[in-house]
Amino acid sequence: MPHREWDAEADVVIVGFGGAGACAAVDACDHGADVLVLDRFHGGGATAISGGVVYAGGGTPHQRAAGFDDTTEAMLEYLRLETGGVVADETLSRFCAQSLDNLRWLEQHGVPFEGSMAPRKTSYPTNEHYLYYSGNELAPPFSDAAAPAPRGHRATGKGVSGKPLFAALRRAVARRPIAVRTQTRVTGLVTDGDRVVGVEATEIRKALPRRLHRVLSAAGRKLNIYYRPLGRMLEGPIADLERRYGEARRFRARRGVVLAAGGFVFNRPLLAEHAPAYRRGSSLGTIGDDGSGIALGESVGGRTDRMHRVSAWRFFNPPLAMVDGVLVNNRGERICNETYYGARIGDHVARQPDAEAYLIIDARTRAEALRQTPSQTLWFQRLQAEYVLRLGNVSAGDLPALARKRGIDPDGLVRTIAEYNAGAAAGRDRMGKDPAHVRALSDGPFHAIDCSIRTQPAFPIPMITLGGLAVDEDTGAVTRGDGSAVPGLYAAGRNAVGVCSESYVSGLSLADCVFSGRRVAAALTEKRFQEEQA
């Protein structure tokens, strides 16, 4: 196409300025490519509001500082169980082998980590600790398959660490000759024959609409985390500004377009189509996680995969005493080991009748949990714990009465707790729970905490989507149904199927953003690109 038809051009055009897009941009630029990054809002994506945890192992400096001798082989054996074959074994091996280098790369670009080890199993450590067991490493069958090691590397920073992690990546981008155009919504791909050669977009350029769009989108990001109904009210005005003031743009990609625009958890129709069991969960991310990047890939023949896989996080620890409880479905049947990571618990809950589950605790467990809450929680965890322990539960003097009040089969619940208590007396648990947390539930009153996949006040069940566009696992190129690559089109992060697209543990998605973002950068930089074009 004639040069005059383009508003700007670059070797690499990246759609989405979150974790994956930023990593791809920095590495591509450092290896000689001219890079243009486009973002509908102001950058950050889900990465900036995440916990800022990167899953890394094989003997990182922070693991060693905490006294742990991890190996790449142990990390690989563990992840083989977690990922369930979602990527080829060679790809998973490469992911583990590159883990040390990818963590070092982040640190070189200003992301801070350190090795203060969390003293107990938790969903997210307090501000004194930045290394922890972020998955199921300590629970069978995982602990039987591989030597456990803490691999959750939380970026250093108070509160939720996604903000300092992305801030460092943003600074790394700003230090380089990378063009970033924000408030630019990509609406289509431009092709020449079957090759993707650029993108079409609308860009808000006028000062006042641009300022208003930024204010509304920033407010919506916060409201969608804390109170989704208000956040939803801002979506119309944001979209209206984009329609009224968005000016048409066309950007040429001389080597390739990279889709890194996040998942589709805010697209409720798409979620209901592919993963109906999760339709009542709480979306975690930004409204940019609407599946638009995935749809762009589909528009030129890209194939999707694992669209049914959603990670819903049903955390009730911290406080740690909560794992002494018994998680049952509405038939009163025990569901799983209560010490599992919250995403694995969420998977089990999703498979229950009506996606319902209830944590049963007794008076002793409740009292111990209330005692632990102040010292074991950050503010948002504390709010949740105080709510479920004081207000957000149903209680009764005995188990049959509790079951009737909560809508659980009474005979099933009584039978399950009797079996559990017998196991506690014998010092064993049929689901492999740590004996330290297998204690009889015998002190009334008893309490049932609703752990179903449905949003409750102060007790949300956050979730992210894991599926996306199928890609060539060596390059990140988007592939068609026949396995061939769509020329000129790549995907990274949650736009693409990756190592976390079957199951999730904390830090695995961000680690995959680094891995997949750097992968497409390698494919599109000088040496690799020239070899492919020869």
Side-chain angles (χ1 to χ4, degrees):
M1 292 184 178
H3 179 76
R4 61 181 176 78
E5 293 190 17
W6 302 102
D7 294 284
E9 60 182 81
D11 294 329
V12 179
V13 174
I14 299 173
V15 181
F17 187 26
C23 290
V26 169
D27 226 23
C29 180
D30 284 354
H31 288 87
D34 178 30
V35 180
L36 168 63
V37 181
L38 309 172
D39 194 84
R40 180 184 173 189
F41 299 113
H42 197 66
T47 297
I49 60 172
S50 73
V53 178
V54 176
Y55 197 86
T60 71
H62 314 295
Q63 289 178 314
R64 293 197 302 271
F68 293 92
D69 296 320
D70 192 21
T71 66
T72 301
E73 292 73 21
M75 180 182 180
L76 176 60
E77 289 303 319
Y78 169 72
L79 286 179
R80 278 195 180 114
L81 287 183
E82 285 285 11
T83 59
V86 68
V87 294
D89 197 63
E90 295 80 3
T91 304
L92 187 61
S93 297
R94 189 166 63 250
F95 172 83
C96 295
Q98 294 177 6
S99 176
L100 277 166
D101 180 62
N102 283 338
L103 191 73
R104 187 182 305 115
W105 184 87
L106 286 172
E107 292 183 293
Q108 288 170 348
H109 294 300
V111 181
F113 297 100
E114 52 115 322
S116 52
M117 178 65 190
R120 65 188 70 85
K121 187 73 175 76
T122 181
S123 62
Y124 193 74
T126 57
N127 288 328
E128 296 75 33
H129 308 106
Y130 292 91
L131 177 69
Y132 71 119
Y133 286 99
S134 64
N136 298 294
E137 296 89 352
L138 295 172
F142 306 96
S143 57
D144 300 328
R151 302 188 186 101
H153 290 67
R154 175 189 168 197
T156 308
K158 302 298 182 184
V160 180
S161 296
K163 186 174 181 180
L165 187 150
F166 186 76
L169 291 175
R170 188 192 291 275
R171 289 192 296 270
V173 169
R175 288 192 294 266
R176 288 162 172 78
I178 297 171
V180 178
R181 299 178 79 137
T182 58
Q183 293 169 284
T184 302
R185 185 174 189 173
V186 175
T187 56
L189 298 175
V190 181
T191 58
D192 186 358
D194 65 349
R195 182 177 184 84
V196 174
V197 296
V199 303
E200 295 177 334
T202 60
E203 182 178 29
I204 299 177
R205 298 287 294 172
K206 292 183 178 178
L208 184 58
R210 187 174 175 86
R211 189 176 304 117
L212 184 57
H213 182 268
R214 183 168 179 173
V215 168
L216 290 178
S217 60
R221 172 178 291 203
K222 285 188 177 295
L223 288 170
N224 284 325
I225 297 172
Y226 300 117
Y227 191 61
R228 172 63 179 148
L230 282 180
R232 188 182 293 112
M233 291 173 61
L234 296 181
E235 291 182 23
I238 290 170
D240 186 57
L241 284 168
E242 292 167 345
R243 282 191 299 269
R244 292 175 62 188
Y245 299 103
E247 300 174 20
R249 295 285 184 266
R250 289 162 63 86
F251 302 110
R252 182 187 177 204
R254 291 186 290 264
R255 300 184 187 174
V257 171
V258 179
L259 301 175
F264 62 94
V265 76
F266 275 84
N267 187 325
R268 287 291 163 154
L270 201 60
L271 194 67
E273 175 187 349
H274 292 285
Y278 297 90
R279 65 190 183 279
R280 294 183 294 174
S282 306
S283 299
L284 181 62
T286 75
I287 60 172
D289 292 299
D290 60 358
S292 55
I294 297 171
L296 287 171
E298 288 184 290
S299 72
V300 292
R303 177 177 69 89
T304 59
D305 194 16
R306 306 284 171 158
M307 296 288 280
H308 66 290
R309 292 301 296 135
V310 173
S311 183
W313 308 340
R314 182 44 86 199
F315 292 118
F316 40 74
N317 164 36
L320 185 58
M322 296 288 273
V323 304
D324 292 359
V326 174
L327 191 66
V328 301
N329 60 23
N330 55 22
R331 295 192 292 237
E333 302 161 335
R334 190 174 174 205
I335 292 173
C336 66
N337 181 336
E338 291 80 13
T339 64
Y340 277 157
Y341 173 68
R344 182 159 289 271
I345 290 174
D347 282 346
H348 281 278
V349 173
R351 294 195 292 267
Q352 304 309 308
D354 303 314
E356 289 186 7
Y358 304 94
L359 184 69
I360 309 300
I361 62 174
D362 65 356
R364 178 202 61 79
T365 306
R366 178 176 179 272
E368 180 65 9
L370 285 168
R371 185 189 68 78
Q372 292 175 352
T373 294
S375 63
Q376 294 186 8
T377 57
L378 292 174
W379 71 268
F380 60 91
Q381 298 165 320
R382 191 170 305 127
L383 175 66
Q384 173 178 296
E386 291 284 347
Y387 170 76
V388 299
L389 290 167
R390 297 188 187 279
L391 299 173
N393 68 79
V394 169
S395 63
D398 58 54
L399 290 170
L402 179 71
R404 287 190 291 270
K405 288 179 70 173
R406 185 61 272 185
I408 302 170
D409 177 69
D411 292 337
L413 181 61
V414 169
R415 182 168 55 252
T416 293
I417 300 303
E419 291 173 355
Y420 182 80
N421 288 350
R428 56 176 171 74
D429 180 63
R430 69 181 181 85
M431 290 187 171
K433 186 156 73 169
D434 182 346
H437 297 291
V438 183
R439 296 193 277 184
L441 300 181
S442 55
D443 301 330
F446 299 91
H447 303 264
I449 297 168
D450 189 352
C451 293
S452 307
I453 295 184
R454 53 176 165 241
T455 299
Q456 305 168 57
F459 194 32
I461 181 162
M463 60 185 189
I464 62 173
T465 55
L466 302 179
L469 294 164
V471 296
D472 181 299
E473 293 181 14
D474 290 330
T475 65
V478 173
T479 57
R480 304 184 179 98
D482 62 3
S484 63
V486 177
L489 187 64
Y490 300 77
R494 299 285 58 80
N495 264 181
V497 172
V499 295
C500 66
S501 291
E502 175 58 28
S503 65
Y504 174 87
V505 299
S506 282
L508 199 57
S509 182
L510 283 182
D512 186 49
C513 284
V514 182
F515 175 76
S516 61
R518 297 189 72 192
R519 177 174 63 189
V520 298
L524 286 165
T525 46
E526 206 68 51
K527 182 178 179 182
R528 182 68 171 269
F529 183 77
Q530 288 176 352
E531 288 174 351
E532 289 178 352
Q533 299 307 301

